[in-house]
Amino acid sequence: MTRHPVVRPATADDVDSMVEMHVRGRTEYYRGFLPDDEITADNQSLRERRNGYVQLLGSRGFAALCAELDGRVIGFAVIGPCYYPDPHPATISELRLMFVDPEHLRSGVGARLHAAVVETWQAAAVESARLWVWEFNKRARAFYASQGWQSDGHCRPDDPRIGEHRMLGYRLAVP
């Protein structure tokens, strides 16, 4: 019998799991693009900003969801208002973070989380959503394309870079 994760709203009790999953996910996709000491420093900074996660929970316009299996958080997503004014006026919400425990990649957890995110947007009457993805993160780009996201040719306005790589813009017409 195949067990499926339950997707539910995140709580303050989930924050430590979310932060550590964020650290593991970033370590995985930064490897080969950032030196190990920069990854370590970035991860430490992320852990130190733990309270930012707590503040997001329940903040106006934000929603955080967790995928849980056997009492353990194995994925999470955070949506909220667009951080930067979007070039597409109908785009009012952004998928800020989405991570799946590396041990559960390609198991359907991401698709379940994404479906719950879309349901949240539908309930809020969001017509179009934004996402920024590192150019080198081919696995994430392929996943989002499989979920209906389309590259829109924009790069994130503050133009962060890792080497020559930029953050690429994707839009989703919320069904």
Side-chain angles (χ1 to χ4, degrees), residues 35 40-41 53 124:
T40 300
Y53 278 84

Side-chain angles (χ1 to χ4, degrees), residues 21-158:
M21 192 170 314
H22 194 166
V23 164
R24 286 194 312 275
R26 285 165 57 132
T27 298
E28 189 77 22
Y29 73 75
Y30 280 157
R31 189 170 286 122
F33 293 96
L34 282 178
D36 288 346
D37 60 333
E38 284 186 42
I39 294 171
T40 300
D42 187 60
N43 288 341
Q44 183 58 37
S45 173
L46 181 61
R47 287 182 178 107
E48 291 168 1
R49 294 188 318 258
R50 174 194 180 279
N51 288 339
Y53 278 84
V54 175
Q55 291 172 346
L56 277 178
L57 299 177
S59 292
R60 181 177 161 85
F62 285 87
L65 304 169
C66 285
E68 180 181 75
L69 184 64
D70 298 330
R72 185 173 156 245
V73 174
I74 59 170
F76 76 95
V78 175
I79 60 175
C82 291
Y83 192 80
Y84 299 99
D86 202 87
H88 305 281
T91 304
I92 61 169
S93 188
E94 183 174 319
L95 178 56
R96 298 274 187 103
L97 296 167
M98 187 165 150
F99 285 92
V100 172
D101 187 310
E103 295 175 17
H104 292 275
L105 291 173
R106 301 190 184 277
S107 69
V109 174
R112 283 182 177 277
L113 266 172
H114 189 270
V117 163
V118 169
E119 288 174 10
T120 302
W121 280 326
Q122 289 169 332
V126 171
E127 296 176 26
S128 176
R130 161 70 58 203
L131 166 68
W132 301 106
V133 180
W134 281 110
E135 182 179 25
F136 62 78
N137 193 344
K138 293 179 182 170
R139 181 177 57 223
R141 290 174 56 201
F143 170 78
Y144 292 120
S146 77
Q147 301 301 308
W149 291 83
Q150 296 186 352
S151 174
D152 67 359
H154 292 278
C155 291
R156 202 168 90 176
D158 62 340

